[in-house]
Amino acid sequence: MVSQLIGKYYRTGSLPHIWCPGCGNGIILRAIVKAIDNLGLNQDDVCVVSGIGCSSRASGYLDFNTVHTTHGRALAFATGIKFANPDLHVIVITGDGDSAAIGGNHLIHTARRNIDITTIVFNNNIYGMTGGQYSPTTPTGEKGTTAPYGNIDANFDLCELAKAAGATYVSRSTIYGANMIINQVEEGIKNKGFSFIETISICPTYYGRKNKKGNAVDMINQLKEMSINKTAYDKLSKEKRNGKIVVGELHKSQRTEYTEEYEKIIQSF
Amino acid sequence: MGEETFKLMQGNEACVEGAITAGLNFFAGYPITPSTEIAELSAAKLPRVGGKFIQMEGEIASISAIIGASLTGKKAMTATSGPGFSLKQEGIGYAVMAEVPCVIVNVQRGGPSTGLPTSPAQGDIMQTRWGTHGEHSIIVLYPSTVREIFDTTIKAFNLAEKYRTPVILLMDEVIGHMREKVEMPNREKIAIYNRKKPSSSLEKYLPYKVSEGDMVPKMANFGEGYRYHTTGLVHDETGFPTNNGKIAEELINRLVHKIENNLDDIVDYEEYKLQDAEEVIISYGSTARSAKSAIDVLRKEGRKIGLFKPITIWPTAKNQIEDLSKRTSRISVIEMNMGQYFLEIERIAGKYSKVDKYGRSNGELITPKEIVSFIKEG
Ligand SMILES: Cc1ncc(C[n+]2csc(CCOP(=O)(O)OP(=O)(O)O)c2C)c(N)n1
Ligand code: SF4
């Protein structure tokens, strides 16, 4: 079944990919493709837009209309694409640095507009491509090559950010639960509005090594240990909440969608 | 519709009129003086003709959005000034590399930084040429009358589509805000160029392959079935990234030569009283207007002087300028900066002719009177 997916949706000519052995990116990418397959979308109608980073290399491996843009700007390119041609299903693949640091403002405003774009953040808590510098999601106290004495920044809760900015579908998953990712991407694509999916990934090469997290299998097991659903999380005492990853659907709401609203203006003349 | 009509128009308005005539159907922008009217008028006019306007969260977002829109087949434009133009540079480089047609208007104001927001300046001449990093060529057009803004905006779109490249339309505060009575051309007589689309079968489409004797690949729109990849990385004919030095060299050479080898098509200029001229002024944009008046005064006094006004600023009209330098004894480059285009003219003309410069950067217009005395002193 896997090879069937690869044959249909991957550009086999552009493989092998550049990712390190044990990298979490491949798991998320396969889940995205599986979700698209489950929904039965026509490949010609799908546009995958990514920024710059290890994760953002994903667009080149997929057989859709694909754009590998500039660092942090995937959502702005995607906004142009979706607004120009609302018939396309626009999916953005981005990293935690790409979406939350250099591209943080675009994330806020794309959510605010509630334009029908589905964004999947491959959150590995580090800048992978540039060799392990700390990112806006590196937990406080952890190390990166630019935080040799431990990161003193507070880290972002990206889902809270997306929700507050106006996203109408927000969820989180980890690469331990591929089925959960598939389900969330499906829900995200089905939602007529801005959908934000944060998938916690692993970078054994930099984040893992710098912070002595063990090998890829160890890191995936840690994700499993840390994951908890919202209801269970809410019942935990404050101390026990520390270090937990709340997974599942975190927010859903209904609001007018940007391209539809603009179409009404065009139709009014 | 087919008749010529007269209209009183502002420069920025003529830009929007020209753009819509050329097929503009997507505008993304962020307000900044003195370009704001272009965004405001686009917001008002585009939905009426089925086009789209979006105010983005900044200039980087705006250039990104127009590149995205162009990939779906739209004719896309953004407009800005100084600080915003600086922000767009990375995006302009992306459009160069991925060969995405689009038009970027820069109505110049005084700089550096926030500078003199409401004063005229021509300080971005070199930035338009070398603003984005890396080896590249770029097309930059600079009109100097309201009617010329209309025509040049159309030309900007045509060249962007023909050469699959970003085109920068340079203006300045004076011509952007000036109102003039304009004779609008008969629309049926205006030539509009649209990007060449692939005719190959879906499977055979190589997005960056050029056919024999051509330097510009055919461009499919996203959503039409030709699924392909674009990237700002060096890429081969398939659009996928490569580190191969030979492919990189071929690509960069093609991107530069598709422009530099087509000067006859791209280079546009106006000559004023040059036939018998022994002396030349080279000036562009609003300063060229003062230069024309100065020439009229000097001609009355018996001086054989004329104006060469480049409308295409980059690539430079090097053949024409070299010719001029061979048949005249003095070329004066007059511009509202401290000698940016002068550097280029001196490089081309310095071998054969004396090349002088006159200019400043204090936000004040260069008057005909000043030019007259500068020429007389020389
Ligand atoms: C404007 C700009 N600044 C910096 C870079 C260098 N850079 C490339 S990727 C990257 C960070 C990537 O981190 P992330 O988005 O978390 O993706 P990952 O590689 O971890 O998947 C940086 C800083 C760049 N390409 N462009
Ligand atoms: S550096 Fe990290 S994120 Fe990048 S490919 Fe390797 S493991 Fe994955």
Side-chain angles (χ1 to χ4, degrees), chain A residues 11 14 43-44 47 57 59-60 63-71 73 76-77 79-81 83-86 88 105-106 109 113 258 262-263 265-266 269, chain B residues 26 43 46-48 50-57 60-61 64-65 67-69 71-72 74 90 94 222-223 225-233 240-241:
Chain A
R11 289 171 170 143
S14 70
Q43 276 161 275
D44 295 340
C47 179
R57 281 299 188 99
S59 59
D63 189 8
F64 303 107
N65 305 285
T66 55
V67 203
H68 179 231
T69 67
T70 50
H71 189 31
R73 319 300 170 195
F77 277 76
T79 297
I81 292 166
F83 188 33
N85 184 352
L88 291 170
N105 199 34
H106 307 305
H109 290 278
R113 288 184 197 105
Y258 188 84
Y262 198 87
E263 191 54 35
I265 298 179
I266 294 178
F269 296 112
Chain B
F26 192 99
L46 279 176
R48 292 175 170 270
K52 313 224 162 146
F53 168 90
I54 185 168
Q55 182 168 307
M56 295 298 287
E57 54 273 21
I60 301 175
S64 304
I67 295 170
L71 287 170
T72 75
K74 299 282 180 194
E90 189 193 7
Y94 186 93
F222 276 6
Y226 292 94
R227 298 192 297 267
Y228 70 98
H229 186 60
T230 63
T231 176
L233 289 166
F240 297 122

Side-chain angles (χ1 to χ4, degrees), chain B residues 243-298:
Chain B
N243 289 327
N244 182 317
K246 189 169 165 283
I247 294 174
E249 186 171 346
E250 278 169 14
L251 174 65
I252 303 302
N253 280 341
R254 181 173 65 73
L255 293 181
V256 169
H257 291 146
K258 73 177 177 181
I259 293 172
E260 303 291 334
N261 291 2
N262 283 298
L263 295 186
D264 286 349
D265 187 38
I266 296 169
V267 164
D268 196 5
Y269 52 87
E270 184 195 342
E271 294 179 321
Y272 183 68
K273 303 193 175 169
L274 270 185
Q275 297 85 343
D276 62 338
E278 289 158 7
E279 269 184 275
V280 191
I281 292 176
I282 295 187
S283 194
Y284 48 80
S286 61
T287 312
R289 302 169 68 100
S290 295
K292 260 191 192 175
S293 311
I295 285 164
D296 292 343
V297 173
L298 291 161

Side-chain angles (χ1 to χ4, degrees), chain A residues 52-55 71 95-98 102 124 126-130, chain B residues 90:
Chain A
I52 298 286
C54 296
S55 38
H71 189 31
D96 41 304
D98 199 62
I102 191 165
N124 58 5
I126 203 88
Y127 287 179
M129 179 123 263
T130 41
Chain B
E90 189 193 7

Side-chain angles (χ1 to χ4, degrees), chain B residues 270-331:
Chain B
E270 184 195 342
E271 294 179 321
Y272 183 68
K273 303 193 175 169
L274 270 185
Q275 297 85 343
D276 62 338
E278 289 158 7
E279 269 184 275
V280 191
I281 292 176
I282 295 187
S283 194
Y284 48 80
S286 61
T287 312
R289 302 169 68 100
S290 295
K292 260 191 192 175
S293 311
I295 285 164
D296 292 343
V297 173
L298 291 161
R299 280 264 167 190
K300 276 197 195 117
E301 294 174 10
R303 273 182 105 113
K304 291 195 169 152
I305 186 164
L307 173 73
F308 182 83
K309 182 187 85 177
I311 296 172
T312 305
I313 299 288
W314 305 109
T316 325
K318 60 178 179 205
N319 299 332
Q320 291 77 2
I321 291 166
E322 194 179 301
D323 278 355
L324 275 178
S325 70
K326 286 178 183 164
R327 62 183 170 93
T328 56
S329 56
R330 183 187 179 206
I331 295 179

Side-chain angles (χ1 to χ4, degrees), chain A:
Chain A
M1 195 180 73
V2 175
S3 59
Q4 225 182 341
L5 275 186
I6 289 184
K8 179 154 187 213
Y9 296 103
Y10 284 61
R11 289 171 170 143
T12 42
S14 70
L15 297 172
H17 57 64
I18 62 157
W19 297 323
C20 311
C23 177
N25 290 344
I27 296 176
I28 313 177
L29 193 60
R30 183 188 171 276
I32 293 171
V33 160
K34 182 75 180 120
I36 291 171
D37 192 57
N38 288 350
L39 292 172
L41 304 183
N42 182 338
Q43 276 161 275
D44 295 340
D45 301 335
V46 175
C47 179
V48 176
V49 187
S50 65
I52 298 286
C54 296
S55 38
S56 288
R57 281 299 188 99
S59 59
Y61 305 136
L62 298 179
D63 189 8
F64 303 107
N65 305 285
T66 55
V67 203
H68 179 231
T69 67
T70 50
H71 189 31
R73 319 300 170 195
L75 282 167
F77 277 76
T79 297
I81 292 166
K82 180 70 191 182
F83 188 33
N85 184 352
D87 292 337
L88 291 170
H89 298 281
V90 179
I91 296 170
V92 168
I93 290 177
T94 174
D96 41 304
D98 199 62
S99 64
I102 191 165
N105 199 34
H106 307 305
L107 172 58
I108 295 170
H109 290 278
T110 316
R112 176 176 64 83
R113 288 184 197 105
N114 195 34
I115 186 165
D116 187 14
I117 292 171
T118 301
T119 294
I120 300 120
V121 180
F122 291 35
N123 182 1
N124 58 5
N125 307 101
I126 203 88
Y127 287 179
M129 179 123 263
T130 41
Q133 299 76 28
Y134 69 100
S135 90
T137 63
T138 303
T140 310
E142 301 261 84
K143 289 186 174 147
T145 57
T146 46
Y149 312 113
N151 173 26
I152 60 167
D153 285 17
N155 53 301
F156 254 139
D157 181 331
L158 294 182
C159 289
E160 281 297 322
L161 178 73
K163 179 183 156 193
T168 44
Y169 175 85
V170 180
S171 66
R172 188 185 287 118
S173 40
T174 79
I175 59 161
Y176 175 74
N179 283 336
M180 190 187 273
I181 312 175
I182 297 169
N183 178 265
Q184 291 181 355
V185 175
E186 279 183 47
E187 290 303 312
I189 294 173
K190 279 194 279 181
N191 173 48
K192 191 97 194 119
F194 186 67
S195 303
F196 183 82
I197 298 152
E198 179 189 14
T199 298
I200 312 296
S201 185
I202 56 166
C203 169
T205 305
Y206 295 115
Y207 184 72
R209 218 172 47 199
K210 276 267 148 204
N211 292 291
K212 305 197 167 54
K213 302 281 182 195
N215 63 24
V217 178
D218 298 332
M219 290 180 82
I220 293 184
N221 280 325
Q222 288 153 25
L223 290 182
K224 179 189 167 194
E225 295 298 309
M226 289 191 286
S227 297
I228 185 168
N229 70 39
K230 179 98 177 67
T231 330
Y233 178 82
D234 286 342
K235 287 187 193 141
L236 290 184
S237 66
K238 244 199 169 141
E239 298 74 57
K240 287 196 171 158
R241 287 182 181 179
N242 211 353
K244 291 286 182 216
I245 301 169
V246 186
V247 295
E249 185 178 300
L250 302 174
H251 172 74
K252 206 167 180 185
S253 58
Q254 280 220 317
R255 209 149 64 76
T256 51
E257 194 272 333
Y258 188 84
T259 63
E260 288 181 350
E261 284 304 293
Y262 198 87
E263 191 54 35
K264 286 185 201 158
I265 298 179
I266 294 178
Q267 293 310 327
S268 72
F269 296 112

